[in-house]
Amino acid sequence: MSRFRLSYFIVSCLFVLMTLGFSSVSQACTGMRVKAKDGSLVFARSMEFGTQTESDLMVAPRGMTWTSQAPDGSKGLHWKSKYAFVGPDGLTMKRPLEGINEKGLYVGGFWMPAGEAAFPNLDPADYSKAVSQLDFVARLLSTCATVDEVRAEVSGMKLAGVEIKQLNLLPLAHWTALDSTGRMIAIESIGGKVAITDNPVGVFTNAPYFAWHLEHLRMYINLRPDNVDSAQIGDYRMKPFGEGSGLIGLPGDLTPPSRFVRAAFFADSALTPADADGAVTLGMNLIAAFSIPTGVSRGTGSDGKPEYDFTQWTTVYDLSRKVVYFRTYDNQDYRKVRFDALPLDGTAPRFIPMWNVKPSYRDVSDQAKSAQ
């Protein structure tokens, strides 16, 4: 093995070990855009976390006031919601981790490990204008209607990092935004500088930074949804073992780079649905391939105890009809929330239970009596 190949192998192994072994919280979130032939748009996302988020679905009305936090714990930016939005909160913070608003804009945060991201160091003179990473999603969903408006808002924002007491750390993140036209961007703070990048593939995961993932896709340029008929070496003709031979080499591990490649290929190869109903169904089926059972991904928390990164909830957003579908680890039945059935004006949020809601499996045994 050459020195270059050996160095590359060592770096690759270290990267995988760091990604799999990083302690606590979310390393495995995946998001995917789905477009239908009639223009309908859906975004599906899985939420993985090592600590139980105990999330509920937050309904934040128009007219609600928000006050963000500055790095020193003082009050940051204060504003009033222009648009209502719906999205899961977490860790009893009553702050959305992702969601869509009444204009069909989606914004979602995805975990980044230490060393992969760094928030700007704000001048104390700007603390009163600070928007913490915990309020980033709320700020954009409550004030922006399009990706262009998100760009403008972020370019003038005083983004700040603050500590979460429940996790005893300052969580890092990067974000994706998608509007009703299908335009999608990545928003990242790398080395203390905030950058916005167009997302031409419509999928999103975790570390490294987004542009790296696009370059990494080139490693899998050979992948095809079509089966390989046969191949020949010398006088030996090889036949495939079965279906999926065009996908040989598709990474199947749980690291963010591998999930990005898998999500990009699945989303691009799946047959385009005809309408919104088909897009929702496809989104549910696509994101199901990224669900992680408890115990498959293991790490150690900051308290030294074992932690298991697992899919705590899955969301599917119909941006065209303003409908949110969600299910949780303990309740695999999708539940639906419609914007047109919600109170969208007010001064305080409302919450729809997600956590600790047991499934009500429909018993269809009696159908056997008439199925003759």
Side-chain angles (χ1 to χ4, degrees):
M1 181 181 290
S2 69
R3 181 179 299 177
F4 173 79
R5 291 180 63 190
L6 178 61
S7 299
Y8 180 82
F9 175 77
I10 293 172
V11 170
S12 299
C13 288
L14 286 174
F15 176 80
V16 171
L17 288 172
M18 288 170 62
T19 307
L20 288 174
F22 184 81
S23 65
S24 89
V25 290
S26 177
Q27 288 288 326
C29 300
T30 304
M32 312 167 74
R33 179 185 62 196
V34 178
K35 294 181 179 179
K37 292 179 180 178
D38 68 355
S40 298
L41 195 68
V42 162
F43 189 78
R45 186 253 176 90
S46 67
M47 175 63 171
E48 283 73 33
F49 220 64
T51 301
Q52 292 190 352
T53 62
E54 301 186 9
S55 298
D56 287 319
L57 203 64
M58 181 179 187
V59 180
R62 317 177 192 107
M64 179 178 169
T65 57
W66 299 83
T67 301
S68 194
Q69 183 181 340
D72 65 350
S74 63
K75 291 183 178 180
L77 188 68
H78 182 81
W79 76 94
K80 180 179 290 188
S81 290
K82 181 179 180 181
Y83 304 117
F85 67 82
V86 177
D89 69 352
L91 303 172
T92 69
M93 292 187 298
K94 298 183 179 180
R95 291 292 190 270
L97 303 176
E98 64 162 358
I100 60 169
N101 68 15
E102 58 185 290
K103 295 298 182 180
L105 175 72
Y106 170 88
V107 180
F110 288 64
W111 180 266
M112 289 283 271
E116 296 290 343
F119 297 133
N121 291 319
L122 288 191
D123 187 316
D126 290 325
Y127 279 4
S128 63
K129 304 173 186 176
V131 176
S132 79
Q133 84 276 34
L134 307 182
D135 293 303
F136 186 86
V137 171
R139 173 64 180 175
L140 296 182
L141 288 178
S142 65
T143 61
C144 300
T146 66
V147 161
D148 286 340
E149 290 184 11
V150 168
R151 286 181 179 273
E153 175 63 31
V154 172
S155 65
M157 182 181 291
K158 303 297 183 182
L159 178 62
V162 301
E163 183 176 316
I164 293 183
K165 294 180 180 179
Q166 293 92 325
L167 298 176
N168 195 31
L169 56 78
L170 190 156
L172 300 169
H174 63 170
W175 299 268
T176 187
L178 168 70
D179 67 21
S180 58
T181 69
R183 290 178 299 169
M184 191 169 173
I185 57 174
I187 307 164
E188 301 172 301
S189 182
I190 308 297
K193 295 183 179 180
V194 179
I196 300 175
T197 309
D198 288 327
N199 185 338
V201 294
V203 302
F204 207 67
T205 59
N206 312 98
Y209 56 93
F210 181 73
W212 186 97
H213 285 290
L214 292 182
E215 286 295 306
H216 185 233
L217 275 178
R218 297 168 61 190
M219 292 288 293
Y220 301 91
I221 196 171
N222 62 296
L223 295 178
R224 297 289 185 274
D226 303 298
N227 291 326
V228 176
D229 179 54
S230 65
Q232 187 161 338
I233 296 179
D235 295 329
Y236 178 58
R237 177 162 294 278
M238 298 172 288
K239 291 284 188 178
F241 285 112
E243 296 296 313
S245 55
L247 303 182
I248 293 175
L250 180 71
D253 61 78
L254 302 179
T255 61
S258 294
R259 285 183 288 104
F260 189 97
V261 172
R262 210 157 60 247
F265 183 84
F266 285 0
D268 184 66
S269 300
L271 298 180
T272 303
D275 52 23
D277 286 341
V280 168
T281 299
L282 178 57
M284 291 176 176
N285 279 279
L286 286 171
I287 202 64
F290 296 84
S291 182
I292 301 176
T294 305
V296 173
S297 178
R298 306 184 182 197
T300 304
S302 57
D303 57 1
K305 296 180 180 180
E307 286 193 343
Y308 308 101
D309 207 47
F310 69 100
T311 303
Q312 303 210 13
W313 41 259
T314 301
T315 45
V316 178
Y317 296 93
D318 183 338
L319 277 66
S320 304
R321 297 183 297 189
K322 316 300 184 302
V323 180
V324 180
Y325 301 84
F326 68 93
R327 67 179 183 180
T328 62
Y329 188 86
D330 292 324
N331 188 347
Q332 292 290 294
D333 293 338
Y334 270 104
R335 286 159 277 170
K336 179 173 74 172
V337 175
R338 306 188 333 267
F339 269 66
D340 61 12
L342 296 173
L344 298 182
D345 290 290
T347 58
R350 298 170 186 255
F351 295 90
I352 297 171
M354 292 177 67
W355 199 256
N356 238 5
V357 178
K358 299 302 179 184
S360 54
Y361 298 117
R362 182 185 174 194
D363 190 338
V364 296
S365 306
D366 60 347
Q367 293 183 11
K369 299 175 182 177
S370 58
Q372 296 183 6

